Structures are given as structure tokens and as C-alpha cells.
């Protein structure tokens, strides 16, 4: 049995809360590693939090400017030869299908360290990431490690709904982020990928706090139920519309943008039922992509929805923002979506899609200056490569 297979077998046989112990013992035996530390990115994507039995006892590490953050951002191993006397310190990104989870740091004595081992150790990190996702069904250990502060109940509900924060396939790369990360309530995103299609939905539930979180939970699960029943995009919107109206009788409604991408052709089917808006970066040109506005879900009984179509070209970048993004105002009263959002999208065109949402939201914070966010802010970025 080769070294990677031995480590993978140890991970699969470990109890959910003992994955770090298992990977440490296996790496020590197979690669001569002295010490191992696992850090996961916090909900705000600003710090890397250590995984330990008693949370918050070890100081967090900033993603910006730290060696661990360098590996996390570049998604490549980063070696610190002199961080520990007589040993190499290696920071390895832990990523699953494009979803950046954290960083595994290993310290290897100089006499045992071999650069040729890094690709194999990176595969170990991928296996560890898969096992963490499975383990989260049975333990809170890894969810607790992601918290730099306490989540509100509404935010807890919203984060549990999410499929992840990024995903990559040969045809596309997608990333998304929410702010305020620890107090989000009504904004949400969801995606599903099949052999032939990517379905992406961006939701903005009406109201604040728990009221908005409960509404968005209903919408997301209704859309999933309709999608899994095989309904087309207008049918998914109609079923969710009926579910919301049946519950609230028009008193509350939700804005949704539904998108379905044909992975083979780049054709996009869209249903615009409310406030989320879309921009396209093609070459160096940013333009707003307008759809016919249709009624938000749940406003009236049995609303009929119609799909529109557009086509993407390889190299296109799509950005979707909630009203908390494009309606964010500067101190002078100018809305962020009028010009500043396009500038931000152009300025970050060299970043991968997984990093663009947070960069745009940072620019929004700078744009608002001392003014705090007065609404949820959600950004989704998709890079289209095509087949």
C-alpha cells in the first residue's frame, strides 16, 4: 500500500471528531511529520481558526498577510524553511471541489522533508476535506472552529442552507459570499450541478431577523423541491410562489433570480422575480444584464413566470448582487451600483471567482466609509470557461 492510501484509510476509519488525530498519526508514520495543525476559514473569510476540542483558546491567524493565508489564497502549498529551527513548515490548502475550507500546517524535520512529497500531501488534504464534510453530520467540532464570534440564530439558519461558498468544474468556477457574515438574515444563494446543467438561485427574503430567515428557508426548500421533482425553471418559480403565498397570503414575499446554465452550449435560462441583479464582464467591458421584471414570489396567488435566454462566451464573468450591494450608498448619497460596482468588477478581473465576492464587498465597505451595512449584502461570481 502506498503512503497516500495508508493515510486515506486511516482517515476513513477514524471517528468524526478524531480526524485530526488520525491524519497526524498517519502523516507522522508515512512522512516523518513532527507536528500538525488544522485551521478552517471563519464565516467572514477574514481569519483561519484552529480546530481544537476547546474552541477560542488558540489565537486566530489573519488570512491577509500570514503564511497560512498565503497558501489559502493562492491554493498552493507554501513552505517556510526557517520558521522552526531544523525543520520545514509547510502550509497546505484544504479544498474540496473548489470550496476553500482551510489550511493544514505540517512541520517536517529537514532530514525528512522532500519537495517531491508535496503533491501527495496535497492529495491528503483533499481527502481530509472530504472527510470533514462527512463528519459534520455527526459532530459540531468543525462548525465551531469556523466561528470567530457567535452567530445570530437567523445567520445560523442561513449558513446551514448553503451548499458551500465556491465550486469548480471544467466548464465554470463559482464563488459567493454574504455579509454581515455573523448576522445575515434574508439573503441566500443555492446551486446544483448535474451532468448537463448548473442551476443557480439568488434569494432575498423580505423583512428582518428571524422573519426574513424563515421566509428564505421556505423559498430555498420550495425551489429545491421543485427542481428535484424535475420542473423547469418557470415551474420552479411557480411552485415556490405558491408555497410562499399559501404561508403568508401576500403579507411577505421574496425576490429571486433563477439561472440555469447549459454546460455544453453556454446558453442561460433566467427567471427574474425580484431584486437580485446581474452584471457581465466580457473582455474589459462591464454591462448590466437586464431581464423583464416579474413579480416576487408570494406576492399574489398563482403568478405565472416566463423564462428568458442569453448566451455566455468562454471568458465571460457574471456577477450577481443583492439590493444590499447595488443600493449601498456613499456618504454623498451615490448608490454603489451606479458606477462603483462596475469599477470594482473591472479592478478584480484577475482574481479567481472564489475571491471576487469578498473583494467586491470590501470595496462596498470602503465606499460606504464609516456608514455600516444597513442591509444584507450578497455577491455571487461565476467565471464561464465552456467546453
Amino acid at each position: 500500500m502506498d503512503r497516500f492510501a495508508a493515510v486515506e484509510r486511516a482517515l476513513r476509519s477514524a471517528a468524526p471528531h478524531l480526524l485530526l488525530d488520525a491524519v497526524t498519526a498517519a502523516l507522522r508514520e508515512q512522512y516523518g511529520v513532527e507536528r500538525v495543525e488544522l485551521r478552517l476559514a471563519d464565516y467572514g473569510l477574514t481569519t483561519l481558526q484552529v480546530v481544537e476540542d476547546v474552541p477560542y483558546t488558540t489565537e486566530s491567524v489573519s488570512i491577509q498577510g500570514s503564511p497560512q493565508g498565503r497558501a489559502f489564497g493562492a491554493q498552493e502549498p507554501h513552505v517556510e524553511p526557517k520558521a522552526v529551527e531544523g525543520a520545514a513548515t509547510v502550509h497546505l490548502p484544504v479544498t474540496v471541489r473548489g470550496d476553500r475550507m482551510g489550511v493544514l500546517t505540517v512541520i517536517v524535520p529537514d532530514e525528512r522533508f522532500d519537495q517531491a512529497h508535496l503533491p501527495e500531501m496535497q492529495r491528503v488534504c483533499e481527502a481530509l476535506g472530504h472527510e470533514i464534510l462527512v463528519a459534520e453530520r455527526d459532530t459540531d467540532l468543525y462548525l465551531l472552529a469556523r466561528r470567530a464570534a457567535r452567530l445570530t440564530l437567523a445567520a445560523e439558519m442561513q449558513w446551514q442552507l448553503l451548499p458551500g461558498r465556491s465550486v469548480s468544474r471544467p466548464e465554470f468556477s463559482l464563488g459567493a459570499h454574504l455579509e454581515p457574515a455573523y448576522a445575515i438574515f434574508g439573503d441566500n444563494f443555492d446551486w446544483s450541478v448535474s451532468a448537463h446543467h448548473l442551476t443557480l438561485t439568488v434569494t432575498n427574503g423580505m423583512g428582518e431577523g428571524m422573519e426574513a430567515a424563515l421566509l428564505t428557508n421556505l423559498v430555498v426548500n420550495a425551489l429545491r423541491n421543485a427542481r428535484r421533482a424535475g420542473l423547469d425553471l418557470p415551474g420552479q418559480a411557480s411552485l415556490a410562489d405558491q408555497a410562499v403565498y399559501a404561508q403568508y397570503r401576500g403579507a411577505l414575499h421574496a425576490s429571486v433570480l433563477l439561472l440555469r446554465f447549459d454546460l455544453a452550449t453556454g446558453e442561460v435560462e433566467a427567471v427574474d422575480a425580484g431584486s437580485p441583479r446581474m452584471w457581465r464582464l466580457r473582455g474589459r467591458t462591464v454591462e448590466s444584464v437586464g431581464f423583464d421584471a416579474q413579480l416576487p414570489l408570494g406576492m399574489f396567488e398563482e403568478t405565472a413566470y416566463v423564462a428568458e435566454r442569453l448566451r455566455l462566451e468562454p471568458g465571460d464573468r457574471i456577477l450577481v448582487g443583492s439590493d444590499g450591494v447595488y443600493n449601498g450608498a456613499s456618504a454623498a448619497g451615490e448608490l454603489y451600483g451606479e458606477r462603483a460596482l462596475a469599477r470594482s468588477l473591472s479592478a478584480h478581473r484577475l482574481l479567481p471567482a472564489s475571491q471576487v465576492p469578498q473583494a467586491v464587498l470590501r470595496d462596498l465597505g470602503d465606499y460606504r466609509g464609516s456608514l455600516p451595512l444597513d442591509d444584507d449584502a450578497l455577491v455571487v461570481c461565476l467565471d464561464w470557461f465552456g467546453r
Side-chain angles (χ1 to χ4, degrees), residues 41 45-48 62-78 91-95 98 100-104 122 166 350-356 358 362:
L45 284 177
T46 58
T47 61
L48 291 163
S62 174
I63 288 177
Q64 299 293 324
S66 67
Q68 295 93 331
R70 180 172 173 178
F72 182 81
Q75 288 294 286
E76 294 180 354
H78 174 60
H91 307 290
L92 300 148
V94 178
T95 303
R100 302 179 302 159
M101 298 175 66
V103 173
L104 187 75
Q122 187 60 63
S166 52
L350 299 181
L351 286 179
S354 60
Q355 297 183 34
V356 170
Q358 192 184 17
R362 279 199 303 268

Side-chain angles (χ1 to χ4, degrees), residues 137-214:
R137 299 180 307 177
D138 303 314
T139 178
D140 286 338
L141 177 65
Y142 310 102
L143 293 171
L144 287 172
R146 292 190 174 97
R147 298 166 192 232
R150 182 175 178 177
L151 290 171
T152 65
L153 178 55
E156 183 90 47
M157 294 170 63
Q158 295 298 67
W159 283 104
Q160 288 298 309
L161 270 182
L162 300 179
R165 274 189 292 213
S166 52
V167 63
S168 293
R169 283 275 299 266
E171 300 88 352
F172 68 88
S173 180
L174 187 155
H177 192 57
L178 299 162
E179 288 290 351
Y182 290 86
I184 197 82
F185 45 82
D187 285 5
N188 203 276
F189 55 87
D190 192 29
W191 65 68
S192 176
V193 189
S194 69
H196 306 292
H197 296 96
L198 161 69
T199 302
L200 170 66
T201 61
V202 178
T203 304
N204 181 3
M206 177 182 175
E208 297 183 355
M210 281 298 299
E211 183 180 68
L214 289 167

Side-chain angles (χ1 to χ4, degrees), residues 168-301:
S168 293
R169 283 275 299 266
E171 300 88 352
F172 68 88
S173 180
L174 187 155
H177 192 57
L178 299 162
E179 288 290 351
Y182 290 86
I184 197 82
F185 45 82
D187 285 5
N188 203 276
F189 55 87
D190 192 29
W191 65 68
S192 176
V193 189
S194 69
H196 306 292
H197 296 96
L198 161 69
T199 302
L200 170 66
T201 61
V202 178
T203 304
N204 181 3
M206 177 182 175
E208 297 183 355
M210 281 298 299
E211 183 180 68
L214 289 167
L215 171 59
T216 300
N217 266 257
L218 174 60
V219 171
V220 171
N221 281 291
L223 289 170
R224 287 175 176 172
N225 178 257
R227 185 183 72 227
R228 292 163 185 170
L231 299 185
D232 60 12
L233 215 60
Q236 293 172 32
S238 294
L239 188 146
D241 170 69
Q242 293 168 23
V244 175
Y245 187 83
Q247 182 67 33
Y248 296 104
R249 311 305 294 182
L252 293 179
H253 51 78
S255 296
V256 180
L257 178 63
L258 298 92
L259 302 168
R260 189 169 184 258
F261 301 80
D262 188 307
L263 299 181
T265 66
E267 184 172 293
V268 185
E269 190 179 15
V271 173
D272 182 353
S275 60
R277 295 183 186 173
M278 190 166 93
W279 287 260
R280 178 176 61 203
L281 173 64
R282 178 172 287 173
R284 291 180 176 269
T285 302
V286 177
E287 59 181 342
S288 176
V289 180
F291 299 109
D292 291 337
Q294 301 180 65
L295 292 173
L297 306 186
M299 183 171 282
F300 298 104
E301 189 173 12

Side-chain angles (χ1 to χ4, degrees), residues 24 27-28 32-37 84 89-90 105-109:
T24 299
L27 289 174
R28 183 176 293 125
V33 168
E34 283 187 347
R35 187 153 53 90
V36 176
E37 180 182 78
V84 176
T89 301
V90 185
T105 298
V106 298
I107 297 176
V108 190

